[in-house]
Amino acid sequence: MRIDLHTHSRASDGTQSPTELVHAAVAAGLDVLALTDHDSAEGWAEAASAADASGLRLVRGMEISTRHQGQGVHLLAYLPDATYPPLAAELERVLEGRRSRVPGMLAALRAAGVDLTEDDVDRVSGHSAASGRPHVADAMVAVGVVADRTEAFERWLSPGRPGYVDRYAAPLRETIRLVTEAGGVSVVAHAWGRRSDERPDAEAFAELAGLGLAGIEVDHQDHTPSARERLRAIARDLDLVVTGSSDHHGLGKVDHDLGCHTTAPEELERLLDLAAAASAASGRETPDVV
Ligand code: AMP
Ligand code: ZN
Ligand code: FE
Ligand code: FE
């Protein structure tokens, strides 16, 4: 059984519609796919009907932008009731931060000599519920400033580059609690990806586990083999679930093909059991796993 628990569609910053993503997952030989768009459940319904029609098992999820001890942490939330009002309100705050950042980025780019309009961004972002730097990157590609998303990030959009603007992120501890109350489970995404300081460290993970964190995404392209082994050991010590996933963004991110990392079936079962327990405790219904 092949299980990929972290993917993006055009409902955030992937380049495929939820339907196209599901079809690509089937073609890639996956049996279980989680759709985890940034900060939004917008793609769930379309993905669920496509998955239903093609016999793929869909896990409804999202990747929430949070902050912990001054650092950005992406939190994968699986099977929460996204309509739980406190969670929905927090997601709306994050989405508003994304929306209001776009004009800020355009102003910063303009000051650095790159002329882009909101229309340029809207043309490439389509109906994305969660606008982000990848959409600004795509607009820069469309007008010919850079060759691809990677170059846009490296030259313009990463922290410290001329077009970078910060945005609101949800407090991590509080978000773990909200996800549990919404009948879901949380997993820290690419915990040590793209960073060298290896935080959250073992001690921080112990605290988060005490707050209800269910797992750590260990197998991810942004982790070195040694980081994976140490994260796996931390997860084992704390009895946290270990996941592995592609973080696929369609054509938007190279070297993140569907199924390039996968999750063991028994780890998925543990996650689903924990979600069922959270749902039973809170009375919040877990959305169907088709
Ligand atoms: P944002 O959500 O606007 O802060 O943008 C973060 C998104 O940009 C994440 O989904 C990343 O996967 C993506 N991203 C970050 N760095 C790169 C890169 N070098 N090339 C393509 N996508 C990237
Ligand atoms: Zn993304
Ligand atoms: Fe992420
Ligand atoms: Fe992601």
Side-chain angles (χ1 to χ4, degrees), residues 6 8 12-14 38 63 74 98 134 149 247 249 253:
H6 180 169
H8 298 265
S12 61
D13 56 3
H38 295 285
E63 182 178 18
H74 283 181
R98 288 180 166 281
R149 277 189 185 182
D247 202 356
H249 281 66
K253 219 172 171 185

Side-chain angles (χ1 to χ4, degrees), residues 21-39:
L21 175 65
V22 164
H23 292 164
V26 171
L30 292 172
D31 305 288
V32 181
L33 178 81
L35 176 64
T36 53
D37 277 306
H38 295 285
D39 311 307

Side-chain angles (χ1 to χ4, degrees), residues 254-275:
V254 292
D255 292 333
H256 289 262
D257 292 342
L258 285 167
C260 66
H261 295 286
T262 55
T263 297
E266 57 275 20
E267 300 294 311
L268 173 62
E269 286 315 311
R270 285 178 68 198
L271 271 186
L272 296 178
D273 288 349
L274 289 166

